[in-house]
């Protein structure tokens, strides 16, 4: 009896010390003789997603964060290719409707632009893509200026210029970052208020409403443009925005969240299984999951996977009505034998972000079952990093981490907890 107690005490002490030094303790599996995992938190698989570690002013990638360990990656989408598509989609709409687009017949197509987050690469790319396609872009140091214009009723602003599509002049009448008083960006309610203010200043000078995402786009559509029949364009292909195309929403871009959510969990799964990172991605896995080259690119020097974008307009929207359905070529269940259940800590930077909560997270939840991952989802407030990092109190409990930062500059606030 005494011997057993002493043994138990020893086992308990060992468990405590394993936790203290940041190792994951693995439960014994039937038939396993020895059961220790020597993986320290700093060596566990880590994926950044949706917000790429980078300098929010220059856009330079934070390679220290992107190569935190051998199993660290970023998953997002090709922001420039998507932005080009978005600009093109709006331009083509104007061209196809050139005889009726100018509501007040003043020879100027006026547009307003809702900017998501002036320090977020996706948002910057979209502002640039729109300005480039519509001819309103101004360059500085070789790059298109992405600053908000505020208001520009007379066309005298310096961050944009008047452009031209066909016979008509194009003017960015107004644009601003949609940030609420608590600091949350991409804020849909702020965009709903902004369109009210813009409509009272510019009225029927506004011929087109453009948004860096659907959350803000739908808020403006519902508040004003649906009623006024002013074409409104967004980004993300959230289900509600796709449905609104039938009611006059101009169009949106799918950033292939179904592929991104898959990749987010798949790179972790592969590292946990000790298989090549390309398994089930560019190379079919045993269950038959594989992605074709037309839906993603991998840039090894950036340690980043980028899904490719598709325009969703009146012509094809019926193929995109449910944004939470898994991508068919990667929808096969992994076997518990080769991919046993593992625990993942994952955060969504802002639980009220439309895209992340209504499209991305439901997709992750579909894929986590298929990949035998037990994911703990943490919803942040979109305002401070500490609101999220405070909830990574015991990183030892998890086998892998998936991180969505509030600000792209702040990767170190997370990696510091894993050292
Ligand atoms: C999405 C936005 C979203 C943002 C959050 C972007 O990629 O398009 O809708 O608000 O990510 O970081």
């Amino acid at each position: 009896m005494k011997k057993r107690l002493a043994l138990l005490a020893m086992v308990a002490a060992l468990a405590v010390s394993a936790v203290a030094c940041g190792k994951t303790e693995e439960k014994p599996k039937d038939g396993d003789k020895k059961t220790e995992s020597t993986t320290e938190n700093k060596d566990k698989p880590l994926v950044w997603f949706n917000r790429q570690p980078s300098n929010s002013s220059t856009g330079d990638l934070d390679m220290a964060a992107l190569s935190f360990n051998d199993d660290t990656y970023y998953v997002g989408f090709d922001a420039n290719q998507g932005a080009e598509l978005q600009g093109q989609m709006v331009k083509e709409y104007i061209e196809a409707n050139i005889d009726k687009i100018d509501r007040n017949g003043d020879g100027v197509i006026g547009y307003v632009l809702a900017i998501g987050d002036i320090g977020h690469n996706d948002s910057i790319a979209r502002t640039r893509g729109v300005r480039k396609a519509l001819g309103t872009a101004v360059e500085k140091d070789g790059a298109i200026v992405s600053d908000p214009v505020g208001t520009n009723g007379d066309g005298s602003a310096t961050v944009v210029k008047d452009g031209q599509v066909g016979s008509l002049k194009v003017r960015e009448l107004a644009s601003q970052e949609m940030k609420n008083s608590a600091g949350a960006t991409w804020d849909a309610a702020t965009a709903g208020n902004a369109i009210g203010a813009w409509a009272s200043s510019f009225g029927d000078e506004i011929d087109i409403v453009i948004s860096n995402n659907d959350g803000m786009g739908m808020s403006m559509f519902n508040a004003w443009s649906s009623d006024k029949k002013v074409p409104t364009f967004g980004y993300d292909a959230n289900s509600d925005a796709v449905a609104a195309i039938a009611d006059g929403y101009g169009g949106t871009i799918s950033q292939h969240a179904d592929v991104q959510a898959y990749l987010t969990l798949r790179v972790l799964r592969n590292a946990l299984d000790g298989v090549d990172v390309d398994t089930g991605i560019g190379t079919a896995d045993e269950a038959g999951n594989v992605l074709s080259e037309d839906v993603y690119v991998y840039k090894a020097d950036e340690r980043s996977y980028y899904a490719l974008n598709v325009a969703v307009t009146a012509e094809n929207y019926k193929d995109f009505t449910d944004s939470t359905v898994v991508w068919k070529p990667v929808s096969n269940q992994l076997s518990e034998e080769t991919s046993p259940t593992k625990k993942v800590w994952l955060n969504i930077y802002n639980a009220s972000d439309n895209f992340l909560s209504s499209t991305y997270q439901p997709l992750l939840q579909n894929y986590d079952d298929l990949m035998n991952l037990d994911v703990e989802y943490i919803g942040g407030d979109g305002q401070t990093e500490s609101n999220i990092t405070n909830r990574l109190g015991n990183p030892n409990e998890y086998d892998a981490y998936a991180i969505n930062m509030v600000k792209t500059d702040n990767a170190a606030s997370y990696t510091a907890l894993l050292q």
Side-chain angles (χ1 to χ4, degrees):
M1 183 65 183
K2 252 207 184 137
K3 233 180 167 180
R4 249 190 93 178
L5 277 181
L7 199 72
L8 276 177
M10 222 171 92
V11 169
L14 273 177
V16 167
S17 71
V19 167
C21 68
K23 290 178 182 164
T24 315
E25 229 209 316
E26 279 192 350
K27 292 222 183 76
K29 266 191 265 144
D30 290 348
D32 271 8
K33 286 203 198 89
K34 236 174 123 209
T35 58
E36 72 196 26
S37 156
T38 47
T39 314
E40 294 188 38
N41 294 334
K42 70 173 178 46
D43 298 320
K44 290 177 183 172
L46 165 64
V47 64
W48 308 99
F49 69 96
N50 180 258
R51 297 188 157 205
Q52 191 171 29
S54 53
N55 181 307
S56 61
S57 319
T58 62
D60 291 347
L61 298 186
D62 175 352
M63 285 314 298
L66 288 163
S67 41
F68 175 63
N69 63 31
D70 289 347
D71 294 320
T72 301
Y73 296 94
Y74 170 72
V75 172
F77 65 99
D78 187 331
N80 295 327
Q81 179 253 350
E84 293 249 332
L85 274 184
Q86 188 189 22
Q88 225 25 61
M89 167 175 73
V90 178
K91 187 178 176 203
E92 281 166 19
Y93 183 94
I94 297 176
E95 286 166 345
N97 294 281
I98 199 85
D99 50 336
K100 49 178 184 286
I101 190 111
D102 183 11
R103 294 200 306 141
N104 65 356
D106 64 351
V108 181
I109 304 172
Y111 73 90
V112 294
L113 173 67
I115 294 177
D117 173 346
I118 52 170
H120 187 300
N121 327 23
D122 299 355
S123 180
I124 293 171
R126 292 170 199 176
T127 299
R128 289 181 170 151
V130 165
R131 290 178 177 171
K132 185 178 167 202
L134 302 184
T136 53
V138 166
E139 287 200 12
K140 195 177 157 206
D141 305 328
I144 294 176
V145 177
S146 59
D147 300 334
V149 74
T151 54
N152 177 38
D154 60 2
S156 65
T158 53
V159 296
V160 288
K161 63 179 196 300
D162 283 348
Q164 186 91 21
V165 174
S167 56
L168 297 175
K169 204 184 247 188
V170 184
R171 179 169 299 160
E172 184 166 309
L173 290 173
S175 57
Q176 74 176 56
E177 180 184 43
M178 297 304 170
K179 188 173 185 168
N180 71 14
S181 53
T185 52
W186 303 90
D187 191 58
T190 305
N193 293 334
I195 193 68
W198 289 337
S200 45
S201 310
F202 300 114
D204 60 9
E205 285 173 57
I206 305 174
D207 302 307
I208 298 182
V209 174
I210 308 174
S211 173
N212 282 174
N213 81 357
D214 283 335
M216 302 182 297
M218 283 300 289
S219 180
M220 298 194 288
F221 185 69
N222 291 330
W224 184 74
S225 40
S226 165
D227 202 37
K228 299 286 182 218
K229 309 242 172 301
V230 173
T232 301
F233 295 85
Y235 203 109
D236 289 341
N238 290 338
S239 298
D240 62 337
V242 172
I245 293 179
D247 306 322
Y249 194 70
T252 179
I253 303 288
S254 160
Q255 54 167 289
H256 250 311
D258 47 3
V259 169
Q260 286 181 69
Y262 173 75
L263 286 167
T264 303
L265 297 181
R266 185 73 209 213
V267 294
L268 299 180
R269 181 75 262 178
N270 287 345
L272 291 167
D273 293 346
V275 299
D276 191 280
V277 69
D278 197 43
T279 310
I281 300 178
T283 313
D285 65 13
E286 281 175 16
N289 296 303
V290 66
L291 291 173
S292 50
E293 278 175 10
D294 56 343
V295 294
Y296 83 103
V297 284
Y298 175 60
K299 293 199 183 146
D301 56 334
E302 300 180 355
R303 299 194 64 82
S304 296
Y305 286 87
Y306 301 102
L308 297 176
N309 304 262
V310 189
V312 182
T313 63
E315 271 151 46
N316 61 350
Y317 76 96
K318 290 200 175 114
D319 299 336
F320 293 85
T321 44
D322 186 350
S323 64
T324 67
V325 176
V326 295
W327 183 238
K328 191 86 200 310
V330 290
S331 58
N332 303 313
Q333 178 73 47
L334 299 189
S335 127
E336 270 278 351
E337 294 283 301
T338 48
S339 302
T341 302
K342 296 280 178 182
K343 275 192 90 174
V344 177
W345 185 92
L346 182 150
N347 86 283
I348 298 288
Y349 93 98
N350 181 358
S352 17
D353 184 88
N354 298 61
F355 168 64
L356 294 169
S357 66
S358 74
T359 296
Y360 213 100
Q361 185 169 340
L363 280 164
L364 289 167
Q365 284 168 322
N366 289 334
Y367 285 117
D368 66 12
D369 295 331
L370 295 173
M371 288 189 225
N372 309 321
L373 293 173
D374 175 8
V375 181
E376 184 159 327
Y377 294 90
I378 306 290
D381 66 2
Q383 291 155 31
T384 60
E385 229 70 59
S386 58
N387 168 264
I388 299 161
T389 50
N390 284 343
R391 285 138 85 193
L392 183 50
N394 193 358
N396 305 337
E397 281 179 26
Y398 304 91
D399 301 302
Y401 315 98
I403 298 175
N404 179 207
M405 292 172 284
V406 175
K407 266 198 95 194
T408 60
D409 313 80
N410 287 343
S413 333
Y414 297 83
T415 51
L417 299 176
L418 306 178
Q419 298 291 350

